[in-house]
Amino acid sequence: MKLSPQLIRTTFTSRGLARPFVLLAHVNQRSITPQTSSFFTLPSSRSHSHRPSSSSSSSSSSSLTTTTTHSIHATMQISCECTSISFPITGPLLDLYHCHCLECQKQSSSAFGTSAIFPSSSFTIPTEMQSKLSKWTRPTKKGRTMDCYFCRECGCRIYHHIREADGTLRGTVSVKGGVIEGLEWKGSKHIYTRSAVVEIPEGVERFEAAPGEMVGRGVELK
């Protein structure tokens, strides 16, 4: 076996590691795909694929066009904390918002509320579940009203349905994200970040108030 000058220098200067190093070099030279020790394995470039480009994020609605990334049909399960309320819902899921407004902080008893927007036509409460729901209605700042439904037993908020000023129900409902099993969380948008109490992740769509266009208008303009 003919050693390169570099390998010869390594052999003479590192006597204790000379034989293993030479053997490894010999095997690698003969192998089509060199086999390396795990200590020398480089991180895969795929581990960084989740990082969005700088052009994909924005701090205001003026520089972003709202896109619907959730329009899929899938069967999910709605379930409250005590499971008294439990029924399936079939998409499409139109959009998903993490709302940081003060109202959502209160209704969720947390840093923000999550609203999954569905067409009201695909959201049907089973007859046997309707008596297990209670409703609280509050006025909004735009002259509308919001019907807020929650479980009678555990108090878990299930969904909201907005009525226009003339009493007409909107064509979408806002289901609370935490009660949906099988919800696709990717591509969610952060809104009303001007009142956020937690740091907004980098690379997400974010709006200081409401986007100029919100799918189905399922989240009320405060």
Side-chain angles (χ1 to χ4, degrees):
M1 178 178 62
K2 184 177 180 180
L3 301 180
S4 66
Q6 183 179 2
L7 188 57
I8 292 175
R9 286 197 298 270
T10 304
T11 304
F12 280 99
T13 57
S14 305
R15 292 181 180 274
L17 298 176
R19 293 184 62 188
F21 187 88
V22 171
L23 179 59
L24 180 62
H26 178 63
V27 172
N28 286 345
Q29 289 175 358
R30 293 174 62 89
S31 301
I32 297 176
T33 303
Q35 301 298 316
T36 59
S37 167
S38 60
F39 291 106
F40 298 96
T41 302
L42 296 176
S44 172
S45 59
R46 290 178 295 177
S47 63
H48 301 285
S49 61
H50 69 282
R51 296 183 179 177
S53 63
S54 58
S55 61
S56 65
S57 62
S58 174
S59 59
S60 66
S61 59
S62 61
S63 59
L64 271 176
T65 301
T66 303
T67 57
T68 303
T69 58
H70 299 273
S71 186
I72 57 174
H73 287 269
T75 300
M76 291 160 275
Q77 187 75 15
I78 292 179
S79 179
C80 67
E81 189 171 5
C82 71
T83 68
S84 294
I85 305 297
S86 182
F87 60 93
I89 178 174
T90 301
L93 170 62
L94 300 179
D95 222 328
L96 187 64
Y97 299 104
H98 299 303
C99 184
H100 298 264
C101 78
L102 299 180
E103 289 288 348
C104 283
Q105 290 176 18
K106 292 179 179 179
Q107 68 89 7
S108 65
S109 300
S110 187
F112 56 86
T114 299
S115 296
I117 311 303
F118 292 91
S120 56
S121 58
S122 67
F123 187 82
T124 303
I125 308 294
T127 303
E128 64 274 16
M129 294 289 166
Q130 294 178 9
S131 62
K132 298 180 180 181
L133 285 170
S134 289
K135 181 179 73 171
W136 174 65
T137 300
R138 71 171 180 86
T140 73
K141 294 180 180 179
K142 297 293 182 179
R144 308 179 183 97
T145 56
M146 178 183 288
D147 294 335
C148 310
Y149 293 86
F150 55 94
C151 172
R152 287 181 178 270
E153 189 68 24
C154 65
C156 181
R157 192 75 67 101
I158 306 298
Y159 74 101
H160 297 164
H161 205 168
I162 293 178
R163 294 180 182 271
E164 303 297 342
D166 62 359
T168 303
L169 283 171
R170 281 190 177 170
T172 57
V173 294
S174 171
V175 185
K176 302 298 99 181
V179 303
I180 307 176
E181 300 174 8
L183 177 64
E184 174 56 67
W185 292 83
K186 294 180 180 178
S188 56
K189 302 173 177 66
H190 289 255
I191 61 176
Y192 286 96
T193 58
R194 65 190 179 193
S195 51
V197 296
V198 294
E199 186 176 356
I200 309 300
E202 294 184 4
V204 300
E205 286 194 59
R206 52 183 291 171
F207 305 86
E208 289 190 356
E213 296 182 9
M214 298 184 74
V215 175
R217 304 300 296 173
V219 177
E220 173 217 353
L221 287 174
K222 272 55 174 189

